Amino acid sequence: MHLSYLFVAGALLAGVAVFSWRDDTGGSAPPPEQPAANGHYVLVVEGDRDQLGVTHANHKTDPWAGVPKGFTSDWTLSIRDAAGTELAAVPLDLSKFDLDPLRKGQALRVQGCIVEDPRIAMLVSVPCFVQAASYAFTRGKTAVGTVDGAAVRQLAGGGR
Amino acid sequence: MRLLLTALALAATTAAQAPVVTTLLANGTTQTRYDMVILADGYQAFEQALFNTDCQNFLTALFSKQPYQTFAAYYNVHTVFRASVESGADHPDAVPPIWRNTVYNASYNTGGVARCLYIGNTSQALADAALAPANEGRVLVMVNDSRYGGCAGTFAVSYNGGSMTEVQIHELGHSLGSLADEYEYVNTTYSGGEPAQKNITTSPVGQKWSHWWGTDGISAFEGAGYNQFGLWRPKNNCLMRSLGVALCAVCKEQIAKVTNSIVDTIHQFTPATSSVMVQAGTPQTFTIGHFVPAGNNPLIAWKVDGTIVPGATSTTFLFDPSTVALGVHTVEASVQDQSAIVRLDPTAVMRETQTWQVTVSDPTAAQLRIPAFSSSLVWVVPGTPVVLSATIRNDGPASAGSFAVEYFLSPTQPWTTQSIYLGGDTVPSLGMGQQVALQHAVSLPWRLEPRVYYLYCVVDRLDVVHESFENDNERISALVCQAGPCVTKLEYDDALLCPYDTATVSIATGGTVHPTVIARCAAPGTMYLIVWGGSGTSPGTTLAPGLTVPINQDFLTQLGLATVNGAWFQSFFGVLDAQGLGRATFVLPAATGLPVTPGHFAALLVDPALGFTAVSNPVSILLGP
């Protein structure tokens, strides 16, 4: 097979990928509907800069209040269903913690009256989806922990 | 009996330690307000009333200070009381040390700083805080100890002595507002980069808060962030520097912005759903409710499709669908909080919006769309037969009469009527809410090139059907064409003509068609000649052994050869281009006197050295009335 043919075939395949996407969403097709949430969870997230997990969960019937206006973060909690579809991506505020890799595992420090702790322990509110299968923490593109959806439901008392 | 007593005692202890969740201040739903949570540490069960009093005192003080006073209605406050076994906090630096058994293990001298009172059992504290109806991730902790102290991180912690309210509001400035301490330690010089906090800077003029210069004593004062030199603060004194004074304008602005980034000041709206169907001729009322204080001079604006509606500044807006075209539109309400506390708001946290997607439809109109469209093959070669499948649906309130569904191929977007036409089907009618599945078989033209083509399905191209809106009448897919076989073909390359081997030209009005020779594998320099006749295609005319052009010669053939490349038979004789194509044009003038004649064209290839080398298929040309 000639290289030029391979090149053309590759370009054509790339084209097909683009068009396949367009076919799904192009034209006048409406955007996919947001998955419906069943209230929200308040999660207790604990760990350090390299490993995060959920240690407590509380279910609230009130709707999730969303992300503060304008807030972005390199740290994200991604909630996915069993097929891997992302149901929500919640940016995490770790500004109160000491994220210096050299300080990991060490005791907290105090400057003035501000505590800087390498040990992360915080509350995170997220929408509650019945179809949630995993809760994955990322720092940039680095995975720093995944929690099974069933485990979160169990922590919240099960049934949701 | 002894076991029973022990069990009862344990049960009593457990009951006493069960957390009690109370909402002290309920201004609105948790979804729209900033939900503050206060925990108790070092309070025994009998001291719950003391904790409640401490919280009330704190809230009274908090909401008497700016910016909390102005935005008091923006907060809900919840408490979670879990009794400790002992009162107070640990004093590890006392002689002798004092140790207290408390639920969150509060301790002085945290991090070696004597006055830093912070909790050790953050896991339990967070689990308890999560019991509150909602939270914003920051938690206050009241510690039942008379020794002065406090500290802040995720938690804002304060003792409950005489300066409790000032200490806790200061710590809340760290925890909620991410503000820095503005006090300094003697003989220290800062050498780092620009701090992230809004209230300290390395700029000797305080550029960071230049929008406040000259107001409320704001300037730049050296000494802040634990350094006597190298860091500047906005005001000579502020609660983030000393207890007993007000927060400065810079700190107030920051706290107000954090609060407003979380609250939704538009707390109610109608219609309650964000997607609204409106029929043309029927005005729709939109309303909002907000809780921006009147003193903040809230500015309400309404937009339709991004354009401000002049004069629409109240909480109610009457949308007149006759002012817009049928289709999808947006109606947006916004409330701008113009509080003097915030002067700089680049992320628009002081502005709240509510948007509705409004579909204006005509009750007398159909609404055709294409929910699905695909081809039986994606990888094709020229001449390939394919089946195109399309589902057409009528979502409108009225039925659609007869309309066409057509298909086009184009190397670029968008399609036009000059694109390669793949034919179409006619749908005789389609009722309200009905859909039809179509299958259209077509052989692809031979002139396709090796490349990706956009494949379009187009419904009601001529707008025969009256629809609410016409912008959803096409759907796109793709075909990938590869190089085809080495054949010699003749076909028409004309707009809206399919199949490609049949054309009609009126002898009365005249007309033009474009017979095109396709011979991708022909040697460079190969010539082509297109001939015609009106006497059928069989047996044809033998040019050489095994090479018969499918045209029975007659007077039309003679006419064509005699005037080849003239006004009627343009480029009927020529050299194939680099792609192996020979593009000709047949122009029949009006009223030539020719009779109605069913005719044919066919092409033959001539190699200058070898003579005739190939012949094409015939294509039909009907000289019609």
Side-chain angles (χ1 to χ4, degrees):
Chain A
M1 185 176 283
H2 290 294
L3 281 175
S4 59
Y5 180 81
L6 286 172
F7 174 80
V8 171
L12 295 178
L13 276 172
V16 166
V18 170
F19 295 146
S20 298
W21 171 79
R22 293 187 59 84
D23 196 25
D24 287 345
T25 61
S28 59
E33 289 196 5
Q34 292 288 316
N38 171 28
H40 73 280
Y41 280 134
V42 177
L43 308 177
V44 177
V45 173
E46 296 189 83
D48 58 39
R49 69 183 306 279
D50 294 324
Q51 185 64 42
L52 292 173
V54 177
T55 56
H56 294 82
N58 256 274
H59 180 260
K60 311 292 180 187
T61 54
D62 284 358
W64 181 52
V67 177
K69 290 190 277 277
F71 177 69
T72 58
S73 173
D74 279 348
W75 297 73
T76 304
L77 174 53
S78 174
I79 307 171
R80 294 181 183 274
D81 66 13
T85 303
E86 188 169 76
L87 304 172
V90 180
L92 303 175
D93 180 6
L94 281 92
S95 61
K96 301 299 178 191
F97 300 99
D98 187 345
L99 303 174
D100 182 349
L102 299 176
R103 293 269 304 137
K104 178 183 164 185
Q106 297 189 27
L108 60 76
R109 288 188 300 196
V110 173
Q111 265 210 315
C113 58
I114 295 178
V115 173
E116 297 173 345
D117 197 344
R119 192 174 59 89
I120 293 167
M122 62 182 189
L123 294 172
V124 177
S125 294
V126 297
C128 170
F129 299 105
V130 291
Q131 67 270 46
S134 69
Y135 294 74
F137 296 94
T138 54
R139 183 190 70 233
K141 292 182 177 175
T142 304
V144 290
T146 301
V147 182
D148 189 70
V152 172
R153 283 190 288 276
Q154 186 71 24
L155 286 168
R160 294 186 180 94
Chain B
M1 185 57 146
R2 188 168 180 176
L3 271 176
L4 180 60
L5 286 174
T6 306
L8 284 172
L10 274 173
T13 305
T14 306
Q17 291 180 342
V20 177
V21 180
T22 307
T23 295
L24 293 183
L25 189 59
N27 276 309
T29 64
T30 61
Q31 198 179 8
T32 60
R33 291 331 201 259
Y34 188 110
D35 287 273
M36 197 177 280
V37 181
I38 309 176
L39 303 179
D41 197 21
Y43 294 83
Q44 295 186 58
F46 72 89
E47 294 172 305
Q48 186 174 352
L50 173 62
F51 170 67
N52 292 340
T53 301
D54 288 343
C55 289
Q56 289 292 358
N57 289 339
F58 163 67
L59 294 178
T60 300
L62 181 73
F63 292 118
S64 67
K65 280 186 183 292
Q66 293 290 17
Y68 301 101
Q69 185 179 54
T70 292
F71 298 103
Y74 287 31
Y75 295 91
N76 293 331
V77 181
H78 316 282
T79 62
V80 181
F81 180 83
R82 186 189 285 274
S84 293
V85 173
E86 295 181 286
S87 302
D90 292 346
H91 299 220
D93 51 347
V95 182
I98 298 169
W99 306 105
R100 296 286 186 248
N101 183 359
T102 67
V103 286
Y104 309 129
N105 196 23
S107 177
Y108 290 90
N109 204 43
T110 300
V113 177
R115 70 173 187 284
C116 182
L117 173 62
Y118 205 65
I119 59 173
N121 192 353
T122 53
S123 183
Q124 181 65 61
L126 291 173
D128 283 354
L131 298 173
N135 71 84
E136 311 304 342
R138 306 285 182 256
V139 179
L140 291 85
V141 183
M142 296 296 189
V143 178
N144 182 25
D145 200 298
S146 60
R147 174 177 158 184
Y148 177 87
C151 239
T154 293
F155 299 89
V157 181
S158 170
Y159 81 127
N160 67 342
S163 297
M164 172 193 72
T165 58
E166 290 292 295
V167 171
Q168 191 58 285
I169 296 170
H170 172 95
E171 304 305 348
L172 194 60
H174 294 308
S175 181
L176 183 155
S178 295
L179 294 169
D181 281 318
E182 293 182 14
Y183 50 82
E184 75 250 29
Y185 300 138
V186 294
N187 294 325
T188 49
T189 302
Y190 183 73
S191 58
E194 177 63 25
Q197 295 95 332
K198 303 293 185 188
N199 62 328
I200 58 174
T201 182
T202 56
S203 162
V205 296
Q207 190 66 42
K208 206 181 231 178
W209 48 78
S210 58
H211 55 290
W212 286 108
W213 283 348
T215 305
D216 187 34
I218 300 297
S219 180
F221 300 84
E222 191 166 23
Y226 322 121
N227 289 275
Q228 185 174 2
F229 306 106
L231 281 177
W232 281 260
R233 61 187 188 276
K235 192 173 179 179
N236 188 38
N237 210 353
C238 166
L239 182 58
M240 297 314 291
R241 178 176 171 87
S242 308
L243 301 185
V245 296
L247 288 160
C248 72
V250 173
C251 293
K252 284 188 288 192
E253 179 180 54
Q254 170 64 5
I255 290 168
K257 285 163 71 173
V258 172
T259 301
N260 276 273
S261 75
I262 288 171
V263 303
D264 293 328
T265 52
I266 296 178
H267 62 132
Q268 58 191 34
F269 51 87
T270 59
T273 57
S274 58
S275 185
V276 182
M277 297 293 290
V278 175
Q279 291 198 342
T282 307
Q284 170 72 46
T285 299
F286 293 86
T287 65
I288 58 165
H290 71 88
F291 53 85
V292 176
N296 289 4
N297 191 21
L299 182 64
I300 296 172
W302 292 85
K303 289 181 181 176
V304 174
D305 293 333
T307 302
I308 287 182
V309 180
T313 57
S314 76
T315 56
T316 299
F317 172 61
L318 186 65
F319 172 66
D320 181 359
S322 68
T323 61
V324 298
L326 298 177
V328 180
H329 301 272
T330 58
V331 171
E332 179 195 280
S334 65
V335 180
Q336 176 71 48
D337 185 329
Q338 302 189 101
S339 167
I341 292 173
V342 175
R343 285 189 176 178
L344 194 61
D345 183 21
T347 53
V349 297
M350 305 301 287
R351 183 171 179 270
E352 199 70 44
T353 61
Q354 171 61 36
T355 303
W356 292 267
Q357 186 182 66
V358 183
T359 303
V360 179
S361 64
D362 182 340
T364 66
Q367 187 47 54
L368 301 175
R369 65 183 185 91
I370 311 164
F373 174 49
S374 64
S375 168
S376 58
L377 296 172
V378 174
W379 292 83
V380 297
V381 296
T384 302
V386 296
V387 176
L388 307 178
S389 301
T391 301
I392 315 300
R393 183 173 174 80
N394 178 9
D395 281 336
S399 293
S402 177
F403 61 91
V405 179
E406 298 171 294
Y407 308 93
F408 293 88
L409 269 184
S410 174
T412 56
Q413 294 190 75
W415 68 277
T416 71
T417 52
Q418 300 302 311
S419 301
I420 297 170
Y421 187 60
L422 298 179
D425 303 299
T426 298
V427 177
S429 66
L430 195 58
M432 173 181 63
Q434 290 186 333
Q435 66 181 39
V436 60
L438 302 175
Q439 295 216 311
H440 178 77
V442 62
S443 289
L444 298 174
W446 292 96
R447 60 186 181 277
L448 294 187
E449 300 171 9
R451 62 171 303 150
V452 176
Y453 284 89
Y454 297 91
L455 175 62
Y456 289 92
C457 175
V458 180
V459 170
D460 191 29
R461 174 173 57 86
L462 299 176
D463 291 340
V464 172
V465 175
H466 175 45
E467 295 186 72
S468 289
F469 44 100
E470 302 281 359
N471 60 356
D472 61 347
N473 283 10
E474 64 182 56
R475 186 150 180 148
I476 194 170
S477 185
L479 289 182
V480 183
C481 188
Q482 299 168 282
C486 288
V487 293
T488 301
K489 293 290 180 181
L490 182 67
E491 68 183 21
Y492 291 110
D493 182 2
D494 287 285
L496 299 175
L497 181 63
C498 180
Y500 315 107
D501 60 358
T502 303
T504 300
V505 176
S506 166
I507 57 173
T509 60
T512 301
V513 290
H514 297 86
T516 300
V517 182
I518 301 106
R520 299 286 188 191
C521 303
T526 297
M527 295 180 291
Y528 68 90
L529 173 67
I530 300 173
V531 295
W532 80 326
S535 303
T537 60
S538 181
T541 303
T542 300
L543 304 174
L547 200 62
T548 298
V549 62
I551 293 290
N552 295 332
Q553 292 188 64
D554 58 14
F555 79 100
L556 291 179
T557 313
Q558 298 305 319
L559 173 66
L561 291 173
T563 60
V564 70
N565 289 358
W568 288 26
F569 303 101
Q570 298 171 20
S571 300
F572 267 52
F573 178 56
V575 178
L576 295 174
D577 66 16
Q579 283 74 44
L581 300 182
R583 298 180 181 278
T585 302
F586 173 64
V587 180
L588 181 67
T592 58
L594 283 173
V596 171
T597 307
H600 292 88
F601 290 121
L604 50 92
L605 301 187
V606 183
D607 185 291
L610 303 174
F612 298 117
T613 55
V615 295
S616 77
N617 56 297
V619 295
S620 166
I621 178 73
L622 172 63
L623 305 184

